[in-house]
Amino acid sequence: MKETVSKTFREIYGAADDVRSYFAPGRVNLIGEHTDYNGGHVFPCALSYGTYAAAARRNDRKLRFYSVNFPGNGVTESSVGDYRPLRDKSWTSYMKGVMWALAGRGFEMDCGLDIVIGGDIPAGAGLSSSAALEVLTGIMLRDMFGFDISNQEIALLGQKAENEYCGLNCGIMDQFASAMGRKDHAIFLDTSDLSFQYVPFVLQDEVLIITNTNKKHSLKDSAYNDRRRECGEALEALRKVTDAEALCDLSPEDFEGNKDAIKDPVCLRRARHAVYENRRTIEGVRALEAGDLEEFGRLMNASHVSLRDDYEVSCRELDILAETAWEIPGVLGSRMTGGGFGGCTVSIVKKEAADEFCRVVGETYREKAGFDCTFYVVSPGGGPEVF
Ligand code: GLA
């Protein structure tokens, strides 16, 4: 993809003197879902799949964007300082949003750019193609204009762009995983204070398989913002009887002792998911560090059940994938990953069972869902790169 992006740059804009190339990864979350805006823990890793850019400075203030993934859109033009969002929610909004967020911090671009983007993460698959694009933009502008900003700050500005510019109230997990990824490691991140630890994640006798439902999650943004609101309501009720500042400040024991304060049954279930998912994430990392991958897998399965029943962010297609996987010998764990309502599952499967996994899950899915899923065998990749 890197070569395709560079070649496309020359085709679209012609040869330029100093064309630079950049990469930022997508991510898969192993466990800790919908905890990152509740002050809880998450455990994602970066992927070797991601988004690439080729870019060159211009002599004026014009910005030109082109994506090899959306050739039909052609070249979109804008200019430095004009950060009015484009109404069509085009992919350029993620880039302009980061430019806007950087400018808000005093990081002004002193000229325009010609940019070509290309990604090999399937869009809308819940593998954070948008966070990768945001982080990519931050890395690219830092390099082009010499901005003094850390990867972690780039992640935070990416989240700000997504929240305030693009209108999705996401947490910090995706941008953090993309900006801070480390090869062969997952990131155990406490979103309450952004303290984190790299945990080695190298499988010996197993493989990590991402299965894409190939179902686009159209309802995702509005339902995601609804979940945040419901968690906020649950927290408000709990604050009357505890000193919790976020749902995940509560242990399951604290929660059980105080949950009657939440009158709305829906908000109660949302809060229960957040509190127990946070506990599962902490226990999962402990199990992994102790070499107990079977326990990690059981926690993954429990995470899916909670996301399906209490948090209600799964969907029929994700349930078919996870529930089919659970029945296959050699599958240690399988769960939906990311925001939900479509996208992917992540599974840990014994090497010798991987072919059977793909065959049985693939056939069952086609039969029940009516279309095909796609498999990717992955391992934790590194963070962003400047080539
Ligand atoms: C999306 C958001 C993340 C996180 C997950 C759910 O990916 O962007 O911040 O909330 O959903 O865990």
Side-chain angles (χ1 to χ4, degrees):
M1 184 48 88
K2 180 170 167 264
E3 283 69 38
T4 308
V5 169
S6 302
K7 187 169 146 273
T8 308
F9 187 97
R10 289 191 297 275
E11 283 165 10
I12 300 283
Y13 302 124
D17 286 344
D18 191 11
V19 184
R20 301 200 191 179
S21 299
Y22 306 92
F23 168 77
R27 66 96 188 92
V28 63
N29 189 23
L30 299 171
I31 194 161
E33 217 66 82
H34 289 278
T35 47
D36 68 343
Y37 49 86
N38 287 310
H41 292 78
V42 294
F43 193 48
C45 60
L47 293 171
S48 52
Y49 297 98
T51 304
Y52 294 81
R57 296 169 70 98
R58 294 179 53 91
N59 295 325
D60 56 16
R61 293 178 64 78
K62 202 183 265 187
L63 291 166
R64 294 198 291 176
F65 303 91
Y66 180 88
S67 168
V68 301
N69 300 99
F70 302 102
N73 292 2
V75 175
T76 308
E77 290 198 6
S78 172
S79 63
V80 176
D82 176 7
Y83 300 127
R84 279 171 303 177
L86 298 171
R87 245 183 274 126
D88 62 355
K89 280 209 162 183
S90 120
W91 58 272
T92 59
S93 303
Y94 297 111
M95 302 195 83
K96 289 180 69 178
V98 172
M99 293 174 180
W100 163 83
L102 277 164
R105 284 275 307 275
F107 294 117
E108 299 281 357
M109 301 160 61
D110 59 19
C111 68
L113 296 173
D114 285 337
I115 305 168
V116 170
I117 298 294
D120 54 13
I121 328 175
L127 301 177
S128 295
S129 55
S130 47
L133 188 50
E134 289 154 3
V135 169
L136 180 75
T137 307
I139 300 293
M140 176 178 84
L141 299 184
R142 174 173 71 189
D143 180 63
M144 288 262 168
F145 300 105
F147 297 155
D148 180 15
I149 187 169
S150 68
N151 279 27
Q152 192 162 321
E153 287 170 303
I154 287 177
L156 286 163
L157 287 178
Q159 183 198 17
K160 186 180 168 71
E162 183 108 22
N163 291 171
E164 296 173 31
Y165 194 90
C166 304
L168 178 71
N169 261 326
C170 66
I172 187 62
M173 171 169 71
D174 304 347
Q175 291 80 6
F176 199 95
S178 176
M180 304 294 287
R182 178 181 285 185
K183 193 168 166 32
D184 294 334
H185 290 76
I187 309 174
F188 182 40
L189 170 68
D190 181 349
T191 62
S192 70
D193 60 5
L194 296 190
S195 58
F196 66 99
Q197 182 196 335
Y198 288 114
V199 179
F201 192 85
V202 183
L203 300 175
Q204 304 295 342
D205 305 320
E206 299 81 13
V207 282
L208 189 64
I209 303 181
I210 292 176
T211 311
N212 190 351
T213 59
N214 290 321
K215 184 185 174 215
K216 290 268 153 50
H217 41 207
S218 54
L219 252 174
K220 185 175 166 258
D221 291 12
S222 59
Y224 186 94
N225 290 347
D226 289 346
R227 292 299 177 281
R228 279 205 79 147
R229 189 178 36 73
E230 290 155 359
C231 286
E233 281 175 36
L235 177 63
E236 210 172 296
L238 286 166
R239 284 178 73 127
K240 299 204 175 97
V241 291
T242 69
D243 54 10
E245 283 173 28
L247 287 179
C248 295
D249 286 351
L250 296 173
S251 66
E253 297 73 27
D254 292 338
F255 174 75
E256 292 301 332
N258 292 289
K259 67 181 182 193
D260 292 347
I262 310 172
K263 300 297 174 217
D264 182 315
V266 172
C267 294
L268 177 73
R269 284 190 281 122
R270 305 299 190 241
R272 183 165 60 202
H273 165 77
V275 169
Y276 281 85
E277 180 77 353
N278 187 42
R279 171 64 66 87
R280 276 189 289 273
T281 308
I282 297 166
E283 284 179 355
V285 172
R286 265 190 222 134
L288 202 63
E289 285 177 329
D292 191 350
L293 207 54
E294 306 241 331
E295 174 63 7
F296 189 82
R298 277 191 289 275
L299 291 162
M300 288 173 76
N301 296 349
S303 166
H304 185 88
V305 170
S306 177
L307 288 158
R308 182 191 68 191
D309 300 344
D310 273 349
Y311 218 66
E312 295 179 283
V313 290
S314 188
C315 63
R316 186 164 169 270
E317 290 80 2
L318 285 168
D319 290 342
I320 296 170
L321 290 182
E323 288 162 16
T324 306
W326 296 341
E327 301 302 318
I328 301 172
V331 174
L332 276 65
S334 185
R335 57 180 287 275
M336 56 155 279
T337 183
F341 305 104
C344 297
T345 60
V346 58
S347 311
I348 299 181
V349 184
K350 287 269 178 217
K351 265 187 190 148
E352 66 266 18
D355 287 346
E356 185 68 357
F357 171 89
C358 296
R359 189 184 66 75
V360 174
V361 172
E363 284 174 6
T364 309
Y365 188 77
R366 184 180 313 135
E367 196 181 295
K368 293 192 175 168
F371 48 97
D372 285 328
C373 57
T374 316
F375 301 98
Y376 309 85
V377 176
V378 298
S379 54
E385 281 180 60
V386 177
F387 297 109

